[in-house]
Amino acid sequence: MTDRTLRRVAPSGAVTLDDVARAAGVSLATASRALNGSTRKVADSYRERVEEAAARLGYSANLSAQATARGTSAIIALLVADIADPYFGLIASGVARGADEAGLVVTVAITERDPEREVRLVRALRGQRPRGLILAASRTTAGPSAELTRELELLSGMGGQVVALGKGAGDVRSLVLDNRSGAEALGRALVERGYRQAVVLAAEEGTATSDTRLDGFTAGFTTAGGSAPRVYRGGFTREAGYETMTHALADGIEPGTVVFGISDVVAIGALTAMRAAGRTAGEDIALAGFDDIPTGRDVTPALTTVRVPLEEVGYQAFRAATDAEWEPHPDDLRLEVLLRESTPPRA
């Protein structure tokens, strides 16, 4: 591309979209559609010229101006409980893939599983007028607070689409994972492998995901012929898995018992506690998790788990936040039991 095609511009002060359009040799409307995430198609040759001119001139979009013109900005807000947890990292990866395809920006905020902090974050994000807000943090069985509901209603009234992982309310679109059925299938599969005694390392009572998985596992394990599991409650972190497993070991765990960590991260913490106590995961104490994060495949022994398509969850959440005609596709979010070396068959 020659300098005649891309005329050099030396604007004074901040670079404007008009500067970019002149440098690329296109109309202002074409430059705007190429850079600002318009749904109208721009020819690849024009888009490349505009993007090259914008990069050469150091142009960045004025998100506040876009929000004023459209009612919403080119931002997708994502709320997670803990960005260090691979569960949320994989969901964020799926959201980012969708945003990249659409030319939008993802803003990630961390709730630390604190309901009051979540309300403050939603209130702050509302000031950015996001096009969509995805609530991926853990929900309680009591549902959202009145304060959070009010903030979400205000955001929806400004044109932002709210999406919740789990059951929502009002104008909130929901992606619901069948955690209960997945955990129930895991419980049955472990009894079929010969296990009759179980320990469950769960999160605090009232945490929706944990309670649903616990209920499902208990139902599957007991109806298939196993005994009701002992339950220890902590959290969703590796540290919680270590601590609850330490307590369970102190109370006594017979060889041949299977331990179900409410998530893979919890199960990996339990694995460390077993080793610290001189116990062997697998043939001594069996171990299972939930989610199928990559680390669970790499530990020794490889972790039995329930696969949740987390990146696809994030991608579908993005589509729910941006597509006016969005409809859920539950078949794309199907859960699958994966039996690995941490739960070997018993005679």
Side-chain angles (χ1 to χ4, degrees):
M1 192 171 292
T2 65
D3 285 344
R4 184 169 182 172
T5 302
L6 270 175
R7 295 185 292 277
R8 295 188 179 277
V9 177
S12 59
V15 177
T16 67
L17 185 60
D18 188 56
D19 297 327
V20 174
R22 290 202 309 273
V26 301
S27 69
L28 182 62
T30 297
S32 177
R33 287 195 292 269
L35 295 177
N36 294 338
S38 172
T39 56
R40 294 184 61 182
K41 179 69 175 176
V42 176
D44 290 341
S45 59
Y46 287 139
R47 185 181 300 279
E48 290 171 2
R49 285 165 58 179
V50 171
E51 290 176 347
E52 183 176 342
R56 180 163 54 81
L57 296 175
Y59 171 78
S60 64
N62 186 331
L63 298 181
S64 296
Q66 289 182 17
T68 300
R70 292 178 174 170
T72 59
S73 67
I75 291 174
I76 297 295
L78 171 64
L79 266 65
V80 299
D82 178 5
I83 197 61
D85 187 331
Y87 175 93
F88 296 109
L90 290 167
I91 289 174
S93 178
V95 174
R97 174 162 61 94
D100 184 62
E101 292 175 358
L104 302 179
V105 177
V106 180
T107 295
V108 180
I110 303 168
T111 69
E112 298 178 353
R113 297 186 172 88
D114 181 343
E116 293 182 0
R117 178 179 172 85
E118 185 174 37
V119 171
R120 293 196 301 271
L121 288 170
V122 171
R123 184 177 298 126
L125 289 167
R126 186 160 53 80
Q128 296 184 14
R129 292 180 175 266
R131 194 166 304 180
L133 173 70
I134 299 170
L135 299 169
S138 301
R139 308 253 65 80
T140 66
T141 54
S145 67
E147 292 82 0
L148 179 59
T149 299
R150 174 59 176 162
E151 289 298 329
L152 296 178
E153 288 174 348
L154 289 170
L155 191 147
S156 296
M158 297 165 63
Q161 177 62 59
V162 180
V163 178
L165 300 190
K167 293 182 179 180
D171 292 332
V172 175
R173 290 177 172 176
S174 301
L175 267 72
V176 181
L177 296 173
D178 197 352
N179 283 295
R180 181 184 173 88
S181 292
E184 189 172 348
L186 176 64
R188 290 195 305 268
L190 292 172
V191 172
E192 290 171 3
R193 283 211 154 189
Y195 296 96
R196 297 295 182 269
Q197 305 295 325
V199 170
V200 178
L201 310 180
E204 298 86 350
E205 189 170 5
T207 305
T209 300
S210 173
D211 286 355
T212 302
R213 292 178 180 181
L214 170 60
D215 291 346
F217 180 84
T218 301
F221 196 76
T222 55
T223 57
S227 300
R230 285 159 44 194
V231 179
Y232 293 80
R233 292 189 178 273
F236 272 104
T237 65
R238 177 188 173 280
E239 292 73 20
Y242 184 94
E243 292 173 4
T244 50
M245 188 68 212
T246 299
H247 291 315
L249 287 166
D251 290 341
I253 296 181
E254 292 293 326
T257 300
V258 61
V259 173
F260 170 44
I262 213 70
S263 72
D264 286 349
V265 171
V266 170
I268 289 169
L271 176 62
T272 304
M274 287 184 199
R275 289 175 175 163
R279 305 294 292 268
T280 303
E283 294 185 5
D284 180 3
I285 302 175
L287 181 64
F290 205 109
D291 293 330
D292 190 33
I293 64 173
T295 306
R297 306 165 211 165
D298 298 333
V299 297
T300 303
L303 185 64
T304 285
T305 190
V306 177
R307 179 181 179 272
V308 181
L310 294 170
E311 287 195 42
E312 183 62 25
V313 170
Y315 185 76
Q316 284 208 29
F318 172 81
R319 298 257 59 101
T322 56
D323 292 356
E325 304 301 323
W326 174 82
E327 292 182 0
H329 297 282
D331 287 346
D332 294 336
L333 304 180
R334 193 178 302 278
L335 277 56
E336 177 187 5
V337 174
L338 301 175
L339 297 171
R340 298 191 178 115
E341 291 84 354
S342 67
T343 57
R346 291 181 56 78

